[in-house]
Amino acid sequence: MSEHVSEAEATKAVDPQTVKKVAVAALVGTALEWYDFFLFTTASALVFNVQYFVSGDPVVSTMEAFGTLAVGFVARPIGGLIFGHLGDKYGRRLCLMVTIIGIGAVTALIGLLPNYMSIGMAAPIFLIALRILQGLAVGGEWSGAVTIAVEHAPIKQRARFAAMPQLGSPIGTLLSSGGFFLVVFLSSQASFDAWGWRIPFLLSIPFLLISVLIRRSLSESPVFNELLEAGEKESAPIKQVLIKTPIQLVLGIAVALLGIGGFYLVTTFVISYGTQTLGLSSQLMLFGTLIAAALEIPVLLYGGRLGERFGASRVAIWGGVVSAAVAYPAFLLVETKNPVLVVVGMTVAVAALSFPYAASGTILTGLFPARLRYTGVAISSNMAGVVSGFVPLIATAVVAAAGQSYWPAALMLVIISLITATGGMLAPRMSINEKGLKH
């Protein structure tokens, strides 16, 4: 029996209400994941460069803070290997409980960490250590969430439900940037630097409790249960993924790159560029991120429906092309320093790259057979995350080398967009479930 037929039969008996319930549970967890992770990225641009990395050169301090951001992305594929192996061997549900608890706990500890002025060099060392632990947990979260959502859904509706965990990204952005925006707006700069920035990190504690309560009701993937019953569970998923699906891994990295790296370029880097180079207020830049994230929610939902109708690969292709086309205009709008146009530029750029992001879950899960899926998706998405983690750092360096001109950053967005479009074009040829990618 082919894996496609087996998966179709496994999901046929799943109650539609259960499918929706699992999708919501996956969404809640990824929302907390991205809330915690985006707190760190926003703090990297606004806080860590002055609280934990003390230097006479603000560019050096910013690059050190973004370097810490990148460290977490380096840890992500290691976490992906660990949780991918466990998820393919012991089940998706258990891993998703472990990852969400790990993410929330580490974020709370970051909110309690003394700064450089209090404990000296120990502060950035502890911050980096916590960032690594956070990256390990995040490395297994999204891949597990999208896998369990897809494996509960009917084959023909996978594009719709695979887009649900992606909503965690804008929701997490709204919560994290919104938290920072309120703290910045309601407190003085001195209060924000002293203690205000810690509040959003500590709020992860109640968010974590809510997420755990909801995720406890998750049922195990029917596809994984069928593998257990058939005795087809893979004992060495990492080895098999690396040996049997190397091309799929490369394509998965390409498809995921724009939704992660492009997003960090037009949010984290633009926040830093806008405040430090253009002299714009942090309130304006955070507000622009909030508006962009709010619009991203309907875009992701619409992108999932388009993937269901026309195929996820086509959504990734055309979304990548459109993102490349709007890259320079979006940066030009930010460059005007006009508050309205700055927000429009950030929003347009995020909306364009959100279409390929909506399709990425369907494409990545379709590239790997069920017995290797958690591991394959985890490795490819997290390797894309490794590259993405360095995007703000690289953009800061090349823009500084160009005399603080925006064009190298816009060119980076064009290149990233075209890489994802190419991945979307080639992915259906290597998919084990091509019907889930195109009709």
Side-chain angles (χ1 to χ4, degrees), residues 24 49 66 78-79 110 119 123 127 132 134 164 168 191 204 220 258 289 329 333 383 411 416 420-421 433:
V24 170
N49 55 331
F66 283 158
I78 301 174
I110 292 174
I119 58 175
L127 181 64
I132 291 172
Q134 187 186 52
M164 288 293 290
S191 297
S204 66
E220 183 55 86
L258 179 57
T289 303
L333 290 174
M383 287 306 296
L411 179 60
I416 292 171
T420 289
N433 179 23

Side-chain angles (χ1 to χ4, degrees), residues 57-284:
D57 188 338
V59 173
V60 173
S61 295
T62 299
M63 291 183 68
E64 288 176 343
F66 283 158
T68 306
L69 173 68
V71 166
F73 280 100
V74 173
R76 285 178 62 163
I78 301 174
L81 288 173
I82 294 171
F83 289 106
H85 173 84
L86 296 175
D88 281 330
K89 194 169 184 179
Y90 300 108
R92 288 57 161 129
R93 182 181 180 276
L94 174 63
C95 289
L96 288 174
M97 291 298 295
V98 174
T99 56
I100 202 64
I101 292 172
I103 293 167
V106 168
T107 303
L109 289 173
I110 292 174
L112 296 171
L113 183 65
N115 61 16
Y116 182 90
M117 283 66 77
S118 299
I119 58 175
M121 281 302 298
I125 292 174
F126 282 132
L127 181 64
I128 292 171
L130 289 172
R131 174 63 173 172
I132 291 172
L133 292 175
Q134 187 186 52
L136 291 174
V138 169
E141 169 59 31
W142 179 83
S143 50
V146 74
T147 295
I148 202 168
V150 161
E151 291 185 346
H152 274 85
I155 295 289
K156 293 183 179 180
Q157 294 183 326
R158 282 188 167 181
R160 177 189 306 189
F161 287 102
M164 288 293 290
Q166 311 298 63
L167 295 175
S169 174
I171 291 174
T173 302
L174 286 170
L175 292 174
S176 61
S177 295
F180 268 114
F181 180 79
L182 287 176
V183 171
V184 169
F185 183 75
L186 296 175
S187 63
S188 65
Q189 186 64 47
S191 297
F192 177 79
D193 290 340
W195 52 266
W197 69 268
R198 299 180 183 275
I199 295 175
F201 282 88
L202 297 176
L203 284 175
S204 66
I205 297 174
F207 291 158
L208 170 62
L209 296 176
I210 294 171
S211 299
V212 169
L213 287 175
I214 294 176
R215 192 162 273 190
R216 283 180 60 188
S217 64
L218 262 177
S219 58
E220 183 55 86
S221 156
V223 174
F224 182 78
N225 284 335
E226 184 173 279
L227 290 174
L228 289 178
E229 293 176 6
E232 296 178 1
K233 182 181 67 173
E234 181 59 57
S235 60
I238 297 175
K239 177 180 178 181
Q240 293 302 312
V241 165
L242 296 176
I243 293 175
K244 295 186 176 180
T245 61
I247 297 177
Q248 286 89 337
L249 286 175
V250 173
L251 292 176
I253 294 169
V255 169
L257 188 59
L258 179 57
I260 305 173
F263 186 86
Y264 281 113
L265 183 60
V266 298
T267 54
T268 303
F269 168 75
V270 169
I271 288 174
S272 175
Y273 179 75
T275 55
Q276 297 190 23
T277 301
L278 301 182
L280 300 171
S281 69
S282 57
Q283 292 95 326
L284 172 62

